[in-house]
Amino acid sequence: MAELCMNCVPIGFVSSPFKTREDAPKQGRHTDELSIITLEPAYQEAAEGLCIGDDLFVFCWFDRSDRTVLKSRRPGEEQKPPRGIFSNRSPNRPNPIALTLVKLVNIEGSILTVQGLEALDQTPVVDIKPYSEGIDTPRNG
Amino acid sequence: MAELCMNCVPIGFVSSPFKTREDAPKQGRHTDELSIITLEPAYQEAAEGLCIGDDLFVFCWFDRSDRTVLKSRRPGEEQKPPRGIFSNRSPNRPNPIALTLVKLVNIEGSILTVQGLEALDQTPVVDIKPYSEGIDTPRNG
C-alpha cells in the first residue's frame, strides 16, 4: 500500500467563551453561548452558499484531547465498567475529530457566528458540512 | 501558537464492493450493499460496547479525493453556479473527512459489518461515533 498521508489542515479557528475543559459543556446542545469560527483566508471561498439559519456539522480538531485513551465511562455511568470510545462521544480518541451540530446565526465574510458549539477557545476547525435530514438520520429511525 | 500536529492515524480500513468512484453511490443511503470495516489490532479495544443494530457515524478519510477543490455543483444543480464545498457534501474538500451514518449489522472481534457506507474499497477509517438523536438533530427541527 502506498504510504498514507492523512494530515489535516486548519480551515479556521474557534473563538469561544470556553477557555478550559472545565468551562466547556459536555455537548454544545447544552449551551446557548455563541462561538465564532474565523475561516483561514485560503478557504473563505468554500463558505459561499452558506446561509443564516443553516444547520451545520462542524468538525473540530480537539487538540487538547488525549489520543491514547481507548475506553472511558459516559457521563452518568460511573458505576459501570468503561466502554470503548467508539461507542461513546468522548473527546479523547485516537483521532480527536469532534462532530457538533450547530446553527449558523451570522456570516460576514470569513467570520461565522454559530450557536451550539462546545469547542474550547482556539480550537482548530477541519471541516464544515451542511446537515441533511435525508442522510443524517437513521433509515429506520 | 504552538505548531499544530493534526495527523490522522487509520483506525481501520474498508472492504467494499466499490472499487472506483464510478462504482460508488453518491451517498451510502442509496445502497443496501454491506461493507466491512477491519479495525487495526491496536484499536480493537475501542470498539467494546458496540452492539448489532447500532446507528454509527463512520468517519472515512477519502484518500482519492481532490483536496484543492473549493467549489462544486451539487447533483441536480448542473444549471446553477457552483457552491462552496462547506455548503455541500462533496467528497472533494480541504480535509477529505467523510461522514456517513450506517447500521452495524454484525461485529466479530475486529470485523465490523455495516450497511449504508459509500466508501471505496481500501478507504481508511479515522473514527466511529454512536449516533445520538439528542445531539445529532437540529434543536428546532
Side-chain angles (χ1 to χ4, degrees):
Chain A
M1 183 189 307
E3 193 176 342
L4 274 171
C5 173
M6 304 202 297
N7 194 42
C8 288
V9 293
I11 61 150
F13 290 88
V14 174
S15 299
S16 89
F18 314 124
K19 307 300 180 194
T20 71
R21 289 184 68 156
E22 291 67 36
D23 292 341
K26 289 285 182 199
Q27 295 291 341
R29 178 63 56 121
H30 304 143
T31 180
D32 289 324
E33 298 273 7
L34 300 180
S35 295
I36 303 286
I37 298 170
T38 304
L39 298 176
E40 294 287 279
Y43 301 109
Q44 184 175 336
E45 189 183 356
E48 288 181 24
L50 294 179
C51 297
I52 291 172
D54 282 352
D55 297 301
L56 302 175
F57 281 123
V58 175
F59 295 64
C60 287
W61 184 271
F62 274 5
D63 54 329
R64 279 148 282 185
S65 290
D66 183 341
R67 300 182 67 170
T68 67
V69 172
L70 294 182
K71 299 177 85 172
S72 67
R73 289 182 176 80
R74 294 201 286 194
E77 293 192 351
E78 287 73 13
Q79 307 306 316
K80 297 185 182 176
R83 297 159 54 113
I85 49 75
F86 297 153
S87 73
N88 67 36
R89 299 287 284 247
S90 168
N92 300 312
R93 48 208 315 118
N95 296 300
I97 301 166
L99 180 73
T100 310
L101 187 60
V102 306
K103 183 80 73 180
L104 183 63
V105 299
N106 197 32
I107 179 167
E108 289 183 45
S110 62
I111 310 292
L112 281 60
T113 305
V114 301
Q115 188 170 44
L117 193 63
E118 79 273 27
L120 298 183
D121 192 45
Q122 304 292 317
T123 295
V125 179
V126 293
D127 203 5
I128 296 171
K129 296 185 199 289
Y131 169 82
S132 167
E133 186 179 346
I135 57 175
D136 295 320
T137 53
R139 278 205 271 194
N140 306 319
Chain B
M1 181 188 305
E3 193 174 341
L4 275 172
C5 173
M6 304 203 297
N7 194 43
C8 288
V9 293
I11 62 150
F13 289 88
V14 173
S15 300
S16 88
F18 313 124
K19 308 300 180 193
T20 70
R21 290 184 69 157
E22 289 67 35
D23 292 341
K26 289 287 183 200
Q27 294 293 337
R29 175 64 54 122
H30 303 144
T31 180
D32 288 325
E33 298 274 8
L34 300 180
S35 296
I36 303 287
I37 298 171
T38 303
L39 297 175
E40 295 287 278
Y43 301 110
Q44 184 176 337
E45 189 182 356
E48 288 181 23
L50 293 180
C51 298
I52 292 172
D54 282 352
D55 297 299
L56 302 175
F57 280 123
V58 175
F59 295 65
C60 287
W61 184 271
F62 274 3
D63 54 329
R64 279 149 280 184
S65 290
D66 183 342
R67 300 181 67 170
T68 68
V69 172
L70 294 182
K71 299 178 85 173
S72 67
R73 289 181 176 82
R74 295 200 287 193
E77 294 192 351
E78 287 73 14
Q79 307 307 319
K80 297 184 182 177
R83 298 159 52 113
I85 49 74
F86 297 153
S87 73
N88 68 34
R89 298 289 281 251
S90 168
N92 301 313
R93 47 211 311 120
N95 296 299
I97 301 167
L99 179 74
T100 310
L101 187 60
V102 306
K103 183 80 72 179
L104 182 62
V105 298
N106 196 34
I107 178 167
E108 289 183 46
S110 61
I111 311 291
L112 282 59
T113 306
V114 302
Q115 188 170 45
L117 192 63
E118 79 274 26
L120 298 184
D121 192 45
Q122 306 291 319
T123 296
V125 179
V126 294
D127 203 5
I128 296 171
K129 297 185 197 290
Y131 170 83
S132 168
E133 186 180 346
I135 57 175
D136 295 319
T137 52
R139 277 206 272 198
N140 305 321

